[in-house]
Amino acid sequence: MSTSDQFRIERDSIGEIQIPADAYWGVNTARAVENFDIARRQISVYPDFLVAFAQVKQAAARANRDIGVLDAERAELIDRACQDVIDGKLHDQFIVGVIQGGAGTSSNMNVNEVIANRALELAGRAFGDYEYISPNDHVNASQSTNDTYPSAVKLGLVHATQNLIAEYELLQDSIMKKAFEFKSILKVGRTQMQDAVPMTLGQEFHGFATTVGEDIQRLKDVEPLLLELNLGATAIGTRINAPAEYPATIMNHLREITGYDNLVTATDLIEATSDTGVFMSLSSVMKRAAMKLSKICNDLRLLSSGPQAGLGEINLPARQAGSSIMPGKVNPVIPEAVSQVAFVIAGSDVTVAFASEAGQLQLNAFEPVMMHTIMQNSTWLRRAMRTLRVNCIAGITANADKTEAQVAASVGLITALNPVIGYAAASKIAKQALASHENVADLVVAEGLLDRERVTQLLQPEALAGKFPEPTSVGSLTAEEIAEQERRIDSLDPKQLAGHIQEPAN
């Protein structure tokens, strides 16, 4: 094969460059790859973003056809090429780095070039025949990077957040199942790492499930903010080069393509083009969720500590050998890994805040690092929850004999008797129990403060721990329902897509 068969020549305002003959990308993408060899992580690792960008371009092609900017033939070819990307094809052709200058222009042109060349291929024409279908004049008609890129990022984050919520719901369901499994197991509650009053292990896990549910709602609260787009704003919000009817027309098509009926055009396109507050809001919610999840993991590690010299109230599934020198040691590796993801997300939230603040005048040039950071956080948090649920929560067992013996011996029981025998007498009994290691109930009877029947009545589990919450729909998913939800979540995972997705290089 000759060199001319292996490459084609493409030109831009800077000059000529050789492009592999079979590449769907072109000169703008090639220059970006040369300029931004930094993260060595391509935008193709975020399929939610690619699908969203293709949806924006597809809506633009249909809108431009409707208002007469594109002829029907070219619009149809571009539409079909966009659908290929939406269906998971050609994702290996999106090769620009996630860290890039230019406010996302490199990503936009990578998308424009891939769609243009795929459209040319569908038309039976050669790659690079831009006189017929141009990345700029046709695929990018009535558009700018400054309205398409942030709109694609927002839509991609809606996709990613919905999958994150779905994974959160599976985690909440799994934790709630454990709550009901453990609802009758008494244990000692603790405040400030010191013994407090009795509760049940089920109540503790129910609290974990409620915490997860709160974060599901906070993620849902951000969604309407992500669905306000600046499409039609073009460069800075003045709508230059976009026909008057274009914004409403593209939004109608985008609603139909995405199924998001509540997509709206921002009322102030100049403000919407420069403002990135929504990315800070979503990043902050993810940080909150990650920190709370890490707190649950801290508790799981404490509750399972030991197994002989720690609390040892629960057993985590043994996932791997814990030491290269101590035989038989098993560590809580799954909660440890989840906490490390939370630490990354917390640090990344600072990155998003700085990037948002750094915007100047009519544009923020730092949206690429925000996209990368939040997309990575969403992906890592989703996968961390999956491993926590499957490899940890589902296999937790309780050491009921140990926890109930601790309750019986706990000085904290005296709190339940305090309203009956009085604070002074209760304090005296508590000191005696701590000094003699005798049972609180026995000391109360021995001192003649109450008879055995009354003490037994006051120390019933229901009296000590209160009523367990009524059953809810949470915790009721069947194995088949869980598997179906997992399949839906995984449908846009990079490993599930057609074509090869390049992972970061060493």
Side-chain angles (χ1 to χ4, degrees):
M1 182 181 291
S2 67
T3 302
S4 61
D5 293 328
Q6 295 174 335
F7 296 96
R8 67 178 187 268
I9 301 297
E10 290 200 12
R11 300 167 182 82
D12 61 7
S13 60
I14 298 174
E16 294 184 345
I17 194 167
Q18 281 190 334
I19 305 295
D22 60 352
Y24 289 83
W25 43 268
V27 60
N28 290 280
T29 302
R31 294 205 188 279
V33 170
E34 289 180 357
N35 291 334
F36 307 123
D37 184 21
I38 300 170
R40 298 196 174 178
R41 188 177 180 89
Q42 301 170 344
I43 60 172
S44 56
V45 300
Y46 300 127
D48 291 323
F49 172 60
L50 298 185
V51 168
F53 224 143
Q55 290 174 325
V56 168
K57 296 294 179 179
Q58 188 176 57
R62 295 179 184 180
N64 282 320
R65 175 202 62 202
D66 291 352
I67 62 181
V69 173
L70 282 180
D71 62 86
E73 183 177 352
R74 287 183 175 86
E76 174 65 19
L77 290 167
I78 292 170
D79 193 320
R80 289 171 59 192
C82 291
Q83 190 61 48
D84 282 345
V85 177
I86 293 169
D87 292 340
K89 300 173 183 176
L90 305 176
H91 282 217
D92 60 332
Q93 297 296 308
F94 297 94
I95 62 172
V96 299
V98 294
I99 302 299
Q100 54 187 256
T105 297
S106 296
S107 293
N108 186 37
M109 288 309 303
N110 193 168
V111 172
N112 288 335
E113 289 173 343
V114 170
I115 291 172
N117 282 304
R118 175 55 178 156
L120 289 168
E121 184 178 46
L122 290 170
R125 292 174 177 264
F127 285 4
D129 184 6
Y130 298 148
E131 290 293 324
Y132 183 67
I133 295 181
S134 163
N136 293 89
D137 295 334
H138 300 120
V139 181
N140 202 61
S142 307
Q143 305 156 58
S144 164
T145 292
N146 300 347
D147 65 343
T148 59
Y149 183 84
S151 294
V153 172
K154 288 180 180 180
L155 280 179
L157 289 173
V158 172
H159 301 336
T161 301
Q162 289 187 342
N163 279 346
L164 185 62
I165 288 170
E167 194 67 65
Y168 252 114
E169 289 171 343
L170 291 178
L171 178 63
Q172 185 187 28
D173 184 84
S174 181
I175 295 173
M176 191 64 82
K177 284 185 171 74
K178 288 296 168 182
F180 283 98
E181 181 182 339
F182 301 151
K183 69 177 183 178
S184 300
I185 299 175
L186 277 174
K187 60 159 284 177
V188 176
R190 297 176 182 84
T191 58
Q192 296 170 262
M193 293 299 294
Q194 305 299 305
D195 296 348
V197 297
M199 65 185 301
T200 68
L201 191 60
Q203 288 173 319
E204 195 161 30
F205 274 74
H206 195 283
F208 295 158
T210 300
T211 287
V212 171
E214 290 175 350
D215 291 319
I216 291 172
Q217 187 56 52
R218 296 294 78 76
L219 286 166
K220 289 180 178 179
D221 290 342
V222 180
E223 184 174 285
L225 304 178
L226 292 168
L227 293 172
E228 180 182 289
L229 308 181
N230 71 329
L231 282 175
T234 63
I236 65 170
T238 60
R239 296 169 50 178
I240 191 170
N241 292 346
E245 61 269 40
Y246 175 79
T249 307
I250 187 175
M251 196 60 71
N252 286 333
H253 283 296
L254 195 57
R255 291 189 193 102
E256 180 183 2
I257 290 165
T258 63
Y260 299 144
D261 294 335
N262 46 348
L263 277 170
V264 296
T265 302
T267 55
D268 187 330
L269 292 176
I270 289 179
E271 183 277 339
T273 302
S274 62
D275 179 60
T276 55
V278 64
F279 301 132
M280 284 195 290
S281 295
L282 180 56
S283 178
S284 177
V285 168
M286 284 188 185
K287 181 185 74 172
R288 167 195 154 119
M291 292 297 97
K292 291 171 67 178
L293 196 62
S294 184
K295 190 272 180 187
I296 291 173
C297 288
N298 290 341
D299 288 350
L300 293 178
R301 291 199 299 273
L302 283 171
L303 293 174
S304 65
S305 60
Q308 294 171 301
L311 296 184
E313 295 184 356
I314 62 174
N315 307 299
L316 304 185
R319 298 302 306 174
Q320 63 188 60
S323 174
S324 61
I325 189 174
M326 293 175 279
K329 192 172 190 294
V330 178
N331 294 328
V333 294
I334 303 300
E336 288 171 350
V338 173
S339 286
Q340 289 177 76
V341 169
F343 305 156
V344 170
I345 291 173
S348 298
D349 185 55
V350 178
T351 298
V352 174
F354 272 106
S356 185
E357 183 275 336
Q360 297 167 320
L361 303 177
Q362 279 67 61
L363 186 66
N364 188 306
F366 306 103
E367 288 182 4
V369 76
M370 288 188 257
M371 183 281 289
H372 163 57
T373 297
I374 303 174
M375 280 289 186
Q376 175 179 276
N377 288 350
S378 177
T379 301
W380 285 20
L381 184 56
R382 173 169 55 82
R383 292 174 181 169
M385 285 192 292
R386 175 75 62 89
T387 195
L388 180 64
R389 172 173 59 86
V390 173
N391 295 323
C392 183
I393 299 295
I396 291 176
T397 57
N399 292 324
D401 292 342
K402 181 173 184 177
T403 61
E404 290 173 2
Q406 287 175 335
V407 170
S410 172
V411 175
L413 283 177
I414 201 65
T415 302
L417 304 179
N418 181 41
V420 180
I421 66 175
Y423 188 88
S427 297
K428 178 182 176 182
I429 294 294
K431 290 180 180 179
Q432 284 182 266
L434 285 171
S436 65
H437 302 292
E438 291 183 72
N439 185 288
V440 165
D442 292 341
L443 285 173
V444 169
V445 173
E447 290 289 326
L449 297 171
L450 294 170
D451 60 32
R452 178 66 66 180
E453 182 179 356
R454 181 63 171 147
V455 170
T456 301
Q457 181 186 28
L458 291 171
L459 298 183
Q460 286 294 312
E462 297 80 8
L464 292 174
K467 187 178 179 181
F468 191 77
E470 293 295 327
T472 67
S473 59
V474 177
S476 62
L477 290 178
T478 65
E480 292 76 15
E481 290 170 333
I482 291 170
E484 176 58 32
Q485 187 144 314
E486 286 178 340
R487 282 191 291 271
R488 183 175 68 80
I489 293 168
D490 292 340
S491 64
L492 285 180
D493 189 278
K495 293 179 181 177
Q496 305 298 323
L497 290 165
H500 172 67
I501 301 299
Q502 181 172 321
E503 292 294 336
N506 294 328

